Amino acid sequence: MTSTLTSIPLAPLLDRLFDEAASLSPSTNPAVAAISPEVLKLIESRLRPGSLIVADNADFSPDYLARVRSPANGYLSTAVSDDVEVSMRLG
């Protein structure tokens, strides 16, 4: 039986992200949990219109916030709490 993650081309990237995330501790450094614009760029072409991104600790990544809050980049985005941003891919 093949898992969903291993059957898609993003599997190596996701495996690496999960491995690296497991070694980091957001409780000692909240910035490590923030999504980066570089990661967004890697997955952006795979996001379908209507896809949602929930970014915790988004306030630690002003470049990410600038990207998703600019309508020219194809997102509709809003803060739902002090540090959580929900963004929808428009196209």
Side-chain angles (χ1 to χ4, degrees):
M1 176 180 198
T2 303
S3 76
T4 304
L5 289 179
T6 59
S7 65
I8 60 173
L10 288 177
L13 173 64
L14 292 173
D15 287 341
R16 181 174 168 207
L17 288 173
F18 291 140
D19 289 343
E20 290 180 14
S23 67
L24 301 173
S25 174
S27 62
T28 58
N29 183 1
V32 299
I35 189 168
S36 71
E38 292 80 17
V39 171
L40 181 60
K41 287 177 192 174
L42 289 172
I43 64 170
E44 209 163 42
S45 67
R46 304 237 183 223
L47 295 175
R48 296 180 181 157
S51 295
L52 294 177
I53 301 168
V54 178
D56 192 13
N57 294 324
D59 53 339
F60 286 98
S61 186
D63 293 337
Y64 170 79
L65 292 175
R67 183 164 185 82
V68 297
R69 289 181 178 170
S70 172
N73 291 323
Y75 293 94
L76 176 64
S77 191
T78 189
V80 294
S81 72
D82 289 340
D83 61 352
V84 177
E85 186 85 6
V86 176
S87 308
M88 182 174 63
R89 182 72 169 152
L90 299 175

